[in-house]
Amino acid sequence: MSRKNTKTPRVLVVDDEPDLRELLELTLLKMGLEVESAESVPQALQRLDRGGIDLCLTDMRLGQGSGLDVVRHINEGGLDVPVAVITAFGSLDNAVEVLKAGAFDYLAKPVSLEQLRTLVRSALELERPPASRPADSADKPFIGESPAIAAALTLIDKLARSQAPVYITGESGSGKERAARLIHQKSSRSDKPFVAVNCGAIPENLMESEFFGYKKGAFTGADQERDGFCQAADGGTLFLDEVADLPLAMQVKLLRVIQERRVRKLGDTREIPIDVRIVCATHQDLAKCVEAGRFRQDLYYRLNVIALHMPALREMREDIPAIARGLLTRLAGLNGMTEPSLSPDALAALVSYDFPGNVRELENILERALALCDGRRITVDDLQLKRLDDEMPPMAAIGDKYPLQDYLDRVEKEAILEALDKTRFNRTQAAKILGVTFRSLRYRMERLGIN
Ligand SMILES: Nc1ncnc2c1ncn2[C@@H]1O[C@H](COP(=O)(O)OP(=O)(O)OP(=O)(O)O)[C@@H](O)[C@H]1O
């Protein structure tokens, strides 16, 4: 990295409106930074090319050009300068466009100075050399090196530097909440609270008071003033888990809070400014909920600025042995036990198992196995894995052969599952055993609902 850490960081402000430029300059100077400014795109590009700029803040709308030109110049020219764009209020499309073009973050007008400071701190933090970052602890939040988890972790690192809302998707138990916590821990907000809310677990009539708080006497039983989740997360991150479960009425209120960055407690006349980063998650398809009219489109766009997908455990089979061992070490430690080994057939069974409940299911399986094993070694019986075909009637019980198609499907499914079992879910080998092509096996598995 070209910049030195000993010198005062230098920020370039690009804006053609003198008022806003001055406000930004003053704020940055007060933070002890050096500031230079440019009034137009050509001026900005020239200054950037001369080097020595550690951060660039640009307005989106600039007389004869746009902030996007600045972002593109920086990225296409390989300049090592984080850039953030100030966009007009409510123009989310612009925000998405600038992030895609490679901006590190965006700020919507009117610019909140607190947010500006957070953004600047976080951008300059980026430039610390890796050696000064805390070393990875032994208990890594995510175990695994498969391409699927590696891609998610790389994105988490990037997202941690931004303030943009994040929408985390993934099956149940795939690590969505853990990912949200990691984004927070790695962000400039890490010294402020991380508040996790399970939107599906709050009774509808309590939602408003839980989210926004209440004043004393706001309703029967409100015998003292209380903050809601939004205020509790002020300066930090608000994690909305199972966000698809928010009732429509609450969606409207939440949207307002996100847009205006203010909350009003129940029974209060005043609005309180808040600064929270929203990270949300759901195992449902939120776009489908929008289509079905169960989720507001405007809120969906607000939340889904950047999407992070957490892979299912079966998409990272090569990581299963390492994750299983990591979990065993932790579980044995928690229970004050010596860590037992996993027998080779137990490990093989885990690697070929489908894990509909993902890492959480693996945790449960291992916890049970710890209790059942002889203390030294976990065998395949201790795992008590549900076989993939548990739900199927055994061949002998199939008995009736009509309708013919159902009967043939059952026979076909049995044969495929057996081949998959034998090959530890290696579909290429299973196809060979079955004497069909890989494509044909894939098609048959899909048709018969085998994951
Ligand atoms: N790659 C991984 N390595 C180690 N532990 C993991 C990994 N992925 C997930 N976990 C663990 O799996 C468990 C489930 O994770 P988490 O609660 O974050 O899932 P989730 O997707 O939020 O689940 P739900 O959809 O049910 O809310 C946690 O204990 C988490 O620490």
Side-chain angles (χ1 to χ4, degrees):
M1 213 146 275
S2 55
R3 273 175 294 281
K4 296 188 191 85
N5 293 298
T6 43
K7 75 170 177 56
T8 310
R10 186 181 298 261
V11 185
L12 176 66
V13 173
V14 189
D15 205 323
D16 59 346
E17 281 175 53
D19 288 351
L20 187 58
R21 206 169 56 225
E22 221 168 275
L23 175 73
L24 295 175
E25 283 170 8
L26 279 175
T27 312
L28 296 167
L29 285 171
K30 271 196 197 149
M31 290 178 76
L33 303 168
E34 286 188 17
V35 188
E36 287 190 34
S37 48
E39 292 171 24
S40 65
V41 175
Q43 241 188 36
L45 304 192
Q46 255 183 18
R47 180 59 198 89
L48 283 162
D49 288 343
R50 289 212 311 276
I53 298 294
D54 298 294
L55 167 67
C56 177
L57 291 177
T58 173
D59 198 352
M60 181 70 173
R61 215 176 306 156
L62 293 166
Q64 284 163 348
S66 123
L68 264 182
D69 301 327
V70 179
V71 177
R72 291 199 180 114
H73 181 82
I74 289 177
N75 279 289
E76 284 160 17
L79 303 181
D80 186 18
V81 180
V83 50
V85 182
I86 298 168
T87 60
F89 172 73
S91 59
L92 203 67
D93 291 348
N94 276 346
V96 175
E97 203 179 352
V98 299
L99 291 171
K100 282 194 179 143
F104 136 86
D105 207 350
Y106 70 91
L107 280 175
K109 283 182 188 170
V111 175
S112 134
L113 293 186
E114 197 40 53
Q115 277 193 348
L116 172 69
R117 287 188 206 106
T118 311
L119 179 148
V120 170
R121 273 197 296 268
S122 143
L124 295 173
E125 169 89 353
L126 280 179
E127 305 311 324
R128 273 201 287 157
S132 66
R133 292 198 189 127
D136 270 357
S137 53
D139 50 336
K140 285 207 287 188
F142 284 100
I143 305 169
E145 287 172 358
S146 60
I149 193 74
L153 291 175
T154 308
L155 188 55
I156 287 175
D157 273 341
K158 281 194 190 158
L159 295 180
R161 301 171 198 153
S162 150
Q163 302 293 326
V166 181
Y167 165 55
I168 309 179
T169 59
E171 290 180 11
S172 162
S174 59
K176 298 186 292 299
E177 174 160 353
R178 184 161 275 217
R181 284 184 191 278
L182 191 58
I183 293 173
H184 173 77
Q185 281 159 14
K186 291 186 163 212
S187 78
S188 58
R189 296 174 173 261
S190 60
D191 55 343
K192 293 280 164 51
F194 173 90
V195 177
V197 182
N198 184 340
C199 301
I202 309 169
E204 200 164 337
N205 58 338
L206 295 183
M207 281 239 163
E208 210 173 332
S209 60
E210 291 285 311
F211 268 88
F212 309 132
Y214 50 81
K215 294 285 280 186
K216 185 175 173 179
F219 48 83
T220 330
D223 40 18
Q224 57 186 5
E225 180 164 347
R226 234 192 78 174
D227 281 351
F229 299 132
C230 294
Q231 289 128 295
D234 197 20
T237 306
L238 181 62
F239 174 55
L240 304 176
D241 201 3
E242 296 311 342
V243 71
D245 291 341
L246 273 182
L248 278 165
M250 193 59 201
Q251 292 175 25
V252 182
K253 291 182 178 140
L254 193 66
L255 179 66
R256 212 181 133 258
V257 169
I258 295 175
Q259 278 174 337
E260 299 183 8
R261 298 196 205 106
R262 291 171 171 279
V263 287
R264 191 203 307 252
K265 287 183 173 176
L266 281 180
D268 203 350
T269 47
R270 285 171 316 136
E271 291 201 317
I272 312 161
I274 51 148
D275 163 28
V276 291
R277 180 181 197 188
I278 307 263
V279 176
C280 70
T282 171
H283 67 277
Q284 297 191 42
D285 185 335
L286 211 48
K288 284 219 173 97
C289 296
V290 171
E291 260 171 44
R294 275 182 284 121
F295 204 84
R296 290 183 64 101
Q297 190 166 39
D298 42 12
L299 181 59
Y300 174 63
Y301 283 132
R302 273 275 158 189
L303 298 175
N304 184 12
V305 172
I306 307 177
L308 166 68
H309 178 70
M310 294 310 293
L313 191 49
R314 63 182 166 283
E315 291 170 57
M316 39 195 276
R317 277 188 199 280
E318 62 264 51
D319 290 330
I320 291 178
I323 297 178
R325 290 198 185 98
L327 293 176
L328 259 186
T329 311
R330 190 166 59 77
L331 290 170
L334 282 176
N335 292 305
M337 297 167 71
T338 331
E339 186 186 333
S341 63
L342 274 164
S343 72
D345 58 342
L347 202 54
L350 286 176
V351 172
S352 52
Y353 183 65
D354 225 23
F355 292 105
N358 296 295
V359 184
R360 181 170 309 108
E361 185 181 5
L362 176 58
E363 259 173 0
N364 293 341
I365 290 171
L366 293 174
E367 200 165 5
R368 188 174 54 211
L370 261 182
L372 294 178
C373 76
D374 64 7
R376 282 175 296 119
R377 209 159 121 105
I378 290 178
T379 65
V380 72
D381 290 339
D382 299 328
L383 297 174
Q384 300 200 335
L385 292 183
K386 254 207 288 173
R387 271 174 53 86
L388 291 165
D389 51 355
D390 263 0
E391 287 95 87
M392 290 215 350
M395 279 299 271
I398 287 176
D400 72 19
K401 298 190 166 67
Y402 322 106
L404 183 62
Q405 191 56 54
D406 289 1
Y407 171 64
L408 293 177
D409 282 354
R410 283 200 299 268
V411 175
E412 188 177 336
K413 193 166 180 181
E414 177 82 3
I416 292 177
L417 286 170
E418 198 178 297
L420 288 169
D421 218 20
K422 273 203 180 113
T423 59
R424 295 195 208 139
F425 231 82
N426 180 326
R427 286 180 299 175
T428 313
Q429 280 180 24
K432 263 194 200 136
I433 293 181
L434 291 162
V436 297
T437 62
F438 177 78
R439 283 187 62 173
S440 156
L441 174 62
R442 203 174 53 190
Y443 159 76
R444 283 161 197 271
M445 285 173 65
E446 212 168 284
R447 188 174 70 78
L448 297 168
I450 306 173
N451 286 317

